[in-house]
């Protein structure tokens, strides 16, 4: 009897051991993961066998490929693939690209970062979205890996102390404007173009960091530039009745309506303002990008809307035309600004690597030093801007492009 | 000699066996992982999963006490984790100047996270547990969402004058050297990562000790009596509301502790992480592991947290395969045929072994 119990107890130990074996098998399982990724990366990067040459740099990133924000992740993935394919075809610098899914979640982004690290990532496009980017930026610094994010726009992505914009990581750079800089750029644009109007009404979302960040900087910059803000109203959450806010702006005589918000609430505001017979000049930021492709929205309401976006797919320069055509041919849709930012990121890194004469057998830390040196001194011309340069904090400086919607398409605005 | 044998027999008796297994799994697993890490055989991806796995195990163990042992459905475990996480981050941030040692700060943060979460547990439990029916599920569901929105609008800073709070709008006026700990929808940023796997494992062992001691105590029997037959329990003089409260508050406290550990493992933490989905995910760990079965909860949590990461090689098909595996396990683990087969297999194995053992003797 006692022996039976002992044996049963022994079984317990066996089970425990099998668990240990389970965790042990983890390390063997993950050696196969990089191999699988390698294959996928080569498939993704180019149909031909030209990639994964001996001297290819391992370029990694994570972004939401599943879940609510997957539209952004997918756009970045597609554009980065096109860029890598083009650069590899040219000869010279070669890339091998791997993108891991982070589900727009900080915890998963850390896992994704470590999966990339196991794969042997040398240079990174960090993350597509801000919160995951902020979660991994510290790890990139600890491991001395260079990162250039296409669209992680929050200050927390490049600053350890985001509240005071202090202690920059130094190795993390942005291709997009930081949220606050969009506010500054908007105020600058409006003050430089007085023909649009002189009295500004603002409607923003005060439980969204993106909107608050732009709003606060806009107010500060507007005061400096002498722009008159006549009404400043907020909304929260999923509100969809903006009549109060619009009426206040209207009564205050605002002839510019500044909307530092995403396109869904903006579309409702446009509709309700129109119903009221109120026709100010509407000015939005990059969150407004997407309003024309929104389902069930009467795009005629968006006529004459100005928005600050780094990229418009209708631009007539060769670079944009070529990129848009390739993207449409390959993926059957028009690229958005996330795609354009990602495309520029890969080209900027390629340019910096070439200029610094880096080789793929250099250590991550050496690559980082060389790239930081290049990025803080070079200028770059891409889809999202010309004469783009970066400061030592990692913030980008490029001329903001304003577009105006005419006949349902973006047209570059004068000024 | 005889007493020794008796202790041995007692340890391996039916009552103790399940407890022993859970402790052994954790300890052996811990030693194995530490060995792998020391020899450099554990990939960085697995190392990054260690702390979150321990957090989820502790939260799931707590939930199993509430759902499995006490029989009350709780859909707000993520809300309690949220309280623990953000209070833990605040405590650790505020004490950073006073206590440089990360481990001590982590332990203080865990204790305060657990205390605050249990305080909220009491606040919810007092009115709700007096009612009969599924009210707790509804109220905890709402509670989780409320906590999430609340922290989405809270600004907390710490400077030489102590803590500063502001609501909806960021009105914090911090003196130089001050630090914003929680900034509304942006959550906590720039947190010092002080959580360690060892502390996580100790937390699991502590959680197991607390839960087993509770289950096999007089109060634990009372909790199970209330679950099985409320009227019978009342008739023998058990105060049902208070008894259920005990299980609920311990469950909340464990979630708070797990949250504090989780929060201090990442540089950024956003409140929207602790939504309804996370509560359901933890409930899935519990249901898959078996209601009231702590060992099962540990195993199912480990498997389900690791699975999506192990499937990374499948690229785009990852989440589809993950969901299919999840559905299959849920169906199969409750299938009568599979159960009978497993029971038969177990009987055969133990039967044979006992015979061999008997022959040896």
């Amino acid at each position: 009897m006692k022996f039976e119990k002992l044996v049963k107890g022994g079984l317990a130990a066996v089970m425990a051991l099998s668990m240990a074996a389970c965790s042990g098998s983890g390390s063997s399982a993950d050696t196969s993961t990089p191999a699988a990724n390698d294959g996928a990366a080569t498939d993704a990067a180019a149909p031909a066998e030209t990639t994964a040459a001996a001297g290819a740099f391992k370029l990694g990133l994570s972004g939401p490929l599943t879940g609510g924000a997957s539209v952004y992740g997918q756009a970045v993935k597609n554009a980065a693939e096109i860029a890598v394919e083009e650069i590899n075809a040219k000869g010279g610098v070669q890339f091998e690209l791997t993108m891991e899914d982070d589900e727009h979640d900080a915890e998963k982004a850390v896992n994704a970062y470590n999966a990339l690290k196991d794969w042997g990532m040398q240079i990174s496009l960090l993350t597509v979205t801000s919160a995951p980017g902020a979660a991994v930026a510290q790890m990139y610094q600890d491991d001395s890996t260079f990162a250039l994010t296409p669209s992680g726009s929050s200050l927390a992505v490049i600053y350890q102390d985001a509240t005071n914009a202090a202690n920059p990581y130094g190795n993390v750079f942005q291709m997009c404007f930081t949220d606050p800089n969009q506010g500054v750029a908007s105020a600058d644009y409006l003050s430089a173009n007085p023909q649009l109007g002189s009295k500004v009404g603002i409607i923003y979302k005060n439980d969204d960091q993106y909107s608050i960040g732009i709003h606060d900087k806009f107010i500060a910059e507007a005061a400096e530039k002498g722009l008159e803000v006549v009404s400043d109203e907020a909304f929260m959450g999923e509100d969809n009745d903006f009549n109060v806010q619009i009426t206040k702006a209207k009564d205050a005589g605002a002839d510019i309506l500044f909307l530092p918000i995403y396109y869904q609430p903006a579309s409702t505001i446009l509709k309700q303002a129109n119903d009221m017979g109120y026709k100010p000049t509407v000015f939005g930021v990059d969150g407004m990008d997407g309003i024309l492709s929104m389902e069930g929205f009467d795009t005629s309401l968006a006529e004459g809307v100005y928005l600050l976006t780094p990229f418009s797919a209708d631009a007539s320069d060769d670079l944009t035309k070529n990129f848009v055509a390739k993207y449409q041919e390959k993926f059957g849709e028009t690229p958005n600004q996330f795609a354009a930012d990602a495309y520029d990121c890969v080209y900027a890194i390629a340019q910096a690597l070439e200029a610094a004469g880096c080789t793929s057998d250099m250590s991550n830390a050496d690559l980082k030093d060389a790239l930081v040196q290049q990025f803080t001194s070079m200028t770059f011309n891409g889809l999202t801007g010309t004469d783009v340069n970066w400061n030592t904090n990692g913030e980008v400086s490029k001329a903001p492009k304003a577009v105006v919607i005419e006949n349902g398409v973006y047209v570059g605005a004068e000024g | 000699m005889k007493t020794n044998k008796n202790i041995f027999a007692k340890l391996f008796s039916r009552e103790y066996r399940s407890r022993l297994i859970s402790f052994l799994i954790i300890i052996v697993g811990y030693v194995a992982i530490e060995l792998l890490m020391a020899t450099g055989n554990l990939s960085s991806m697995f190392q990054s999963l260690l702390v979150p796995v321990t957090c989820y195990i502790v939260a799931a163990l707590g939930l199993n006490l509430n759902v499995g042992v006490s029989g009350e459905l709780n859909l707000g475990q993520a809300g309690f984790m949220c309280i623990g996480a953000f209070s833990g981050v605040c405590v650790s941030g505020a004490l950073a100047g006073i206590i440089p040692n990360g481990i001590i700060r982590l332990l203080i943060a865990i204790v305060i996270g657990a205390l605050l979460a249990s305080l909220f547990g009491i606040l919810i439990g007092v009115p709700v547990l007096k009612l009969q029916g599924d009210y707790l599920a509804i109220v905890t569901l709402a509670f989780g969402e409320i906590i999430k929105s609340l922290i989405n609008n809270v600004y907390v800073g710490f400077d030489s004058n102590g803590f500063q709070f502001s609501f909806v709008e960021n009105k914090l006026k911090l003196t130089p050297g001050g630090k914003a700990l929680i900034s509304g929808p942006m959550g906590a940023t720039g947190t010092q990562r002080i959580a360690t796997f060892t502390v996580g494992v100790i937390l699991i062992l502590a959680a197991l000790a607390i839960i087993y001691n509770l289950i096999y105590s007089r109060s634990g029997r009372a909790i199970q009596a209330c679950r099985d037959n409320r009227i019978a329990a009342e008739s023998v003089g058990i105060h049902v509301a208070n008894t259920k409260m005990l299980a609920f508050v311990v469950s909340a406290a464990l979630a708070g502790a797990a949250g504090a550990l989780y929060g201090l493992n990442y540089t950024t933490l956003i409140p929207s992480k602790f939504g309804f989905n996370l509560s359901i995910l933890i409930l899935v760990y519990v249901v898959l592991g078996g209601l009231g079965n702590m060992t099962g909860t540990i195993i199912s949590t480990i498997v389900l947290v690791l699975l999506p990461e192990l499937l990374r090689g499948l690229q785009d098909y990852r989440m589809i395969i993950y969901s299919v595996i999840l559905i299959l396990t849920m169906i199969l683990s409750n299938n009568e045929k599979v159960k009978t087969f497993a029971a038969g297999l177990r009987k055969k194995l133990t039967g044979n072994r006992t015979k061999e053992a008997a022959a040896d003797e």
Side-chain angles (χ1 to χ4, degrees):
Chain A
M1 217 25 212
K2 250 180 262 161
F3 260 97
E4 189 184 311
K5 276 173 184 161
L6 262 179
V7 167
K8 281 180 183 167
L11 266 183
V14 170
M15 260 196 81
L17 276 173
S18 69
M19 275 310 300
C22 222
S23 36
S25 75
S27 56
S28 65
D30 71 80
T31 46
S32 70
T33 318
N37 281 347
D38 267 359
T42 14
D43 287 347
E49 300 80 48
T50 50
T51 43
F57 291 96
K58 291 189 165 180
L59 185 65
L61 80 153
S62 80
L65 294 174
T66 55
S70 58
V71 174
Y72 306 137
Q74 205 64 49
V76 164
K77 183 172 190 261
N78 294 346
E81 278 172 14
I82 293 180
V84 166
E85 198 177 301
E86 286 176 2
I87 292 171
N88 284 351
K90 270 190 218 158
V93 173
Q94 299 287 306
F95 285 119
E96 210 180 312
L97 178 75
T98 288
M99 182 162 180
E100 291 286 350
D101 185 9
D102 66 20
E103 300 164 44
H104 184 39
D105 179 286
E107 180 193 334
K108 301 285 177 188
V110 171
N111 298 344
Y113 168 69
N114 283 296
L116 289 168
K117 193 174 149 190
D118 292 336
W119 168 63
M121 171 175 66
Q122 294 172 292
I123 308 164
S124 172
L125 299 185
L126 197 75
T127 59
V128 172
T129 45
S130 287
V136 293
Q138 176 77 58
M139 305 183 154
Y140 276 93
Q141 196 195 32
D142 293 346
D143 295 334
S144 287
T145 304
F146 179 85
L148 171 67
T149 173
S151 45
S153 58
S154 145
L155 284 178
V157 174
I158 50 172
Y159 291 105
Q160 221 157 8
D161 181 358
T163 1
N164 306 318
N167 301 339
Y169 289 113
N171 61 324
V172 182
F173 287 71
Q174 285 173 322
M175 185 46 101
C176 56
F177 283 117
T178 58
D179 293 340
N181 279 352
Q182 288 205 50
V184 175
S186 302
D188 288 350
Y189 186 86
L190 287 176
S191 67
N193 293 276
Q195 77 278 8
L196 295 177
S198 55
K199 292 179 171 177
V200 184
I202 306 174
I203 301 178
Y204 73 105
K205 188 166 187 269
N206 73 350
D207 63 352
D208 179 19
Q209 193 58 39
Y210 168 78
S211 193
I212 296 171
I214 300 172
H215 166 264
D216 291 354
K217 281 289 172 184
F218 180 86
I219 296 277
E221 182 74 8
E224 230 161 75
K225 294 277 161 140
L227 269 180
E228 191 185 353
V229 177
V230 291
S231 90
D232 182 10
E233 296 297 320
F235 69 96
M236 271 181 79
E238 307 301 311
D239 284 0
N240 51 20
D241 179 6
F242 302 100
N243 281 311
V244 176
Q245 290 93 332
I246 298 169
T247 311
K248 279 196 179 158
K250 190 183 175 190
D251 292 349
D255 46 14
I256 295 176
L257 192 57
F258 180 54
L259 303 177
I261 50 178
Y262 286 110
Y263 62 86
Q264 297 93 333
S267 66
T268 318
I269 291 175
L270 287 174
K271 166 111 184 41
Q272 287 172 352
N274 187 57
D275 291 349
M276 246 182 248
Y278 175 44
K279 291 188 166 48
T281 305
V282 175
F283 196 91
V285 284
D286 63 0
M288 189 76 92
D289 188 22
I291 195 160
L292 291 178
S293 48
M294 193 177 163
E295 274 179 40
F297 176 69
D298 178 5
T299 48
S300 68
L301 291 174
E303 283 299 298
V305 168
Y306 279 79
L307 63 142
L308 209 62
T309 169
F311 171 73
S312 89
D314 301 294
S316 54
D317 58 301
D318 289 341
L319 198 60
T320 310
K321 272 187 180 164
N322 168 34
F323 171 65
V324 172
K326 260 200 185 147
Y327 195 98
Q328 274 172 334
E329 183 203 336
K330 229 179 152 177
F331 305 105
E333 44 185 41
T334 310
N336 57 16
Q337 53 150 332
F338 285 84
D341 279 326
Y343 185 83
D344 275 0
C345 277
V346 180
Y347 267 94
I349 289 176
Q351 181 186 326
L353 286 173
E354 214 139 287
C358 294
T359 51
S360 61
D361 52 6
M362 285 166 74
S363 73
N364 282 15
D366 290 345
L367 282 173
K368 183 206 82 178
D369 291 340
L371 285 171
V372 167
Q373 156 85 39
Q374 284 299 321
F375 267 81
T376 48
S377 58
M378 72 178 195
T379 54
F380 170 77
N381 295 323
L383 292 170
T384 61
T386 47
D387 292 332
V388 180
N389 55 66
W390 286 264
N391 65 18
T392 48
N393 294 348
E395 282 181 38
V396 71
S397 156
K398 52 186 178 186
K401 278 185 191 170
V403 297
V404 58
I405 297 174
E406 270 173 21
N407 301 322
V409 291
Y410 292 165
V411 178
E414 300 303 313
Chain B
M1 201 60 201
K2 195 162 190 332
T3 44
N4 266 351
K5 265 190 180 171
N6 276 347
I7 289 172
F8 226 55
K10 198 184 165 194
L11 266 180
F12 289 106
S13 70
R14 184 165 285 275
E15 189 190 330
Y16 279 90
R17 203 176 55 211
S18 63
R19 299 183 226 186
L20 210 62
I21 294 176
S22 6
F23 282 108
L24 270 177
I25 286 180
I26 297 298
I27 294 169
V28 174
Y30 174 69
V31 172
I33 286 172
E34 285 294 322
L35 278 178
L36 280 172
M37 265 208 277
T39 52
N41 281 323
L42 202 64
S43 68
S44 7
M45 195 187 80
F46 272 84
Q47 292 187 25
S48 73
L49 284 169
L50 296 176
V51 176
V53 166
T54 58
C55 297
Y56 289 128
I57 290 178
V58 173
L61 286 174
L63 188 64
N64 204 349
L65 177 67
N66 197 24
V67 178
V69 180
S70 166
E72 288 285 340
L73 189 53
N74 172 355
L75 297 178
Q77 196 73 342
F80 292 113
M81 273 185 87
C82 187
I83 293 173
F86 283 97
S87 55
V89 167
C90 286
V91 167
S92 161
L95 292 179
I98 309 164
I99 309 172
N101 186 320
I103 300 288
I104 298 174
R105 244 185 315 146
L106 176 63
L107 292 177
I108 297 175
I110 288 175
V111 170
I112 292 187
L115 284 178
L116 268 178
S118 51
L119 187 72
F120 276 89
I122 293 170
L123 284 178
I124 298 173
V126 166
V128 178
L129 288 169
K130 291 194 170 138
L131 305 168
Q132 291 186 36
D134 289 334
Y135 290 101
L136 190 70
I138 300 161
V139 172
T140 47
L141 169 63
F143 164 75
E145 293 302 302
I146 291 170
I147 286 295
K148 196 180 79 180
S149 329
L150 208 66
I151 296 188
N152 238 331
N153 285 295
V154 137
Y155 295 82
V156 181
F158 184 82
D159 60 11
S160 45
N161 300 327
F163 278 110
Q164 288 192 32
F165 298 91
S166 122
F167 199 64
V168 181
E169 270 177 78
N170 190 357
K171 291 181 191 129
L172 300 180
K173 299 264 183 299
L174 296 172
T175 56
K179 193 175 179 307
L181 296 168
I182 302 176
S183 22
M186 214 168 152
T189 52
T191 313
Q192 218 186 327
R193 289 168 43 227
I194 51 175
T196 63
F197 179 51
T198 311
V199 173
V201 169
I202 294 170
L203 193 60
I204 297 179
L205 294 177
L208 281 174
I210 292 171
I211 290 172
Y212 283 133
N213 271 312
L214 181 61
I215 293 179
Y216 295 106
S217 70
R218 188 188 157 87
S219 315
R221 312 273 183 212
I223 292 171
Q224 291 171 61
C226 294
R227 171 193 67 190
D228 293 337
N229 193 325
R230 189 186 175 108
I231 297 169
E234 275 176 331
S235 76
V236 294
I238 294 173
H239 193 297
V240 174
N242 284 0
T243 312
K244 292 201 164 193
M245 178 76 105
L246 184 62
F248 181 61
V249 171
V250 171
S251 159
L254 288 177
L261 185 67
Y262 183 92
L264 290 169
N265 189 41
Y266 295 100
T267 40
T268 46
L269 191 67
I270 47 171
S272 54
K273 166 79 196 172
F274 300 98
F276 181 56
N277 281 346
L278 184 63
S279 293
I280 293 297
L281 201 65
I282 299 172
L283 190 63
V284 168
Y285 300 154
V286 170
V287 173
L288 191 68
L291 292 180
N293 182 349
M294 300 301 156
T295 317
T297 302
I298 294 174
I299 296 172
S300 70
T301 310
I302 295 174
V303 170
L304 288 184
V305 176
L306 289 188
L307 198 57
E309 303 302 327
L310 291 177
L311 293 176
R312 274 194 186 276
L314 297 172
Q315 298 270 315
D316 290 355
Y317 303 99
R318 185 165 79 99
M319 289 325 265
I320 303 174
I321 306 276
Y322 172 65
S323 348
V324 170
I325 293 178
L326 197 59
I327 294 169
L328 283 182
T329 9
M330 281 290 185
I331 294 173
L332 290 180
S333 62
N334 283 310
N335 186 302
E336 271 312 314
K337 274 185 188 160
V338 176
K339 269 187 185 170
T340 342
F341 177 71
L345 202 69
R346 204 178 302 139
K347 212 174 172 185
K348 228 178 189 173
L349 278 173
T350 43
N352 284 346
R353 291 209 180 175
T354 327
K355 267 180 216 158
E356 279 166 28
D360 279 356
E361 201 176 22

